Amino acid sequence: MNATTSPAAAGAETSAGRLQREIMTRYPDNFMLYADLFAMGCLLHLQGQHKAGLKLIDQVRRALPATGHKTYFVDLLEALPGNELRFAGEIQAHAEVNDLLELAQRQQAAPRYTARPAQAGLAKVTEVRTRGVQFNCPHCSTRIDGWQADPRGRDDKCDRCHQQFYIAPDATVIFD
């Protein structure tokens, strides 16, 4: 990237496809490990966890020989902001990792609530926790839990009746 090229323009030229091919060639038995690690680094970076995301991506870089890759990785990291989803897709990680990336993309596209200014004298809550996600099987009504993320838009299978079902992307979320 030269002084007149913006990071966004560099992103259009830079691809994680070269990294995908290099890892596949050098480490075919551990390809998915490195692909998942890189994709999770992209996900963390997308979610604002830049330091953690770059640390995971750097672990992938360290697995490759130092010669011939330094400039490529510099270009890749410069182009990363705004290209996290594209790069993660190009690396071809496991479907479960790609599902997390799709969920992050949907969450980014969802309308955000506008925060109101804090009222004087009121204490501020800075963390909200949930105890997990649960719903009933549409076939046998067995309670299904254990989800630690939003399951909407995903398929699942009941452990009791072994029937598959689809969780609607617009399913209502109820906070108890």
Side-chain angles (χ1 to χ4, degrees):
M1 185 164 89
N2 61 39
T4 60
T5 307
S6 71
E13 301 164 6
T14 306
S15 168
R18 174 179 165 189
L19 177 61
Q20 187 268 346
R21 291 186 298 278
E22 185 72 25
I23 294 170
M24 182 61 91
T25 300
R26 291 189 181 276
Y27 307 107
D29 294 337
N30 290 319
F31 168 74
M32 293 309 296
L33 169 78
Y34 290 116
D36 287 349
L37 192 62
F38 179 83
M40 289 303 295
C42 290
L43 174 63
L44 288 170
H45 194 274
L46 175 71
Q47 293 176 328
Q49 302 294 323
H50 298 144
K51 187 175 181 180
L54 293 173
K55 189 172 273 193
L56 293 182
I57 291 170
D58 190 57
Q59 291 299 311
V60 176
R61 180 196 58 83
R62 290 174 184 239
L64 297 174
T67 57
H69 299 289
K70 186 175 181 180
T71 304
Y72 170 67
F73 263 91
V74 167
D75 291 345
L76 194 67
L77 292 178
E78 284 182 358
L80 184 61
N83 290 298
E84 295 94 344
L85 293 169
R86 181 171 64 87
F87 288 174
E90 291 170 349
I91 201 73
Q92 298 177 3
H94 275 105
E96 294 82 359
V97 174
N98 290 329
D99 288 346
L100 290 173
L101 289 155
E102 288 176 20
L103 176 62
Q105 185 176 26
R106 282 196 312 267
Q107 288 173 339
Q108 278 194 331
R112 301 276 181 205
Y113 295 103
T114 304
R116 64 177 178 83
Q119 292 181 338
L122 291 180
K124 179 171 75 170
V125 174
T126 59
E127 182 176 280
V128 176
R129 293 180 183 241
T130 62
R131 295 201 183 266
V133 176
Q134 53 186 243
F135 47 87
N136 293 332
C137 172
H139 301 287
C140 69
S141 298
T142 298
R143 178 171 285 180
I144 299 170
D145 57 13
W147 284 83
Q148 298 301 317
D150 187 349
R152 293 178 293 179
R154 308 263 320 251
D155 293 343
D156 202 350
K157 182 177 180 181
C158 179
D159 290 334
R160 183 170 172 244
C161 71
H162 306 289
Q163 295 282 331
Q164 286 194 303
F165 55 88
Y166 176 69
I167 304 162
D170 59 347
T172 302
V173 176
I174 301 169
F175 291 93
D176 288 334

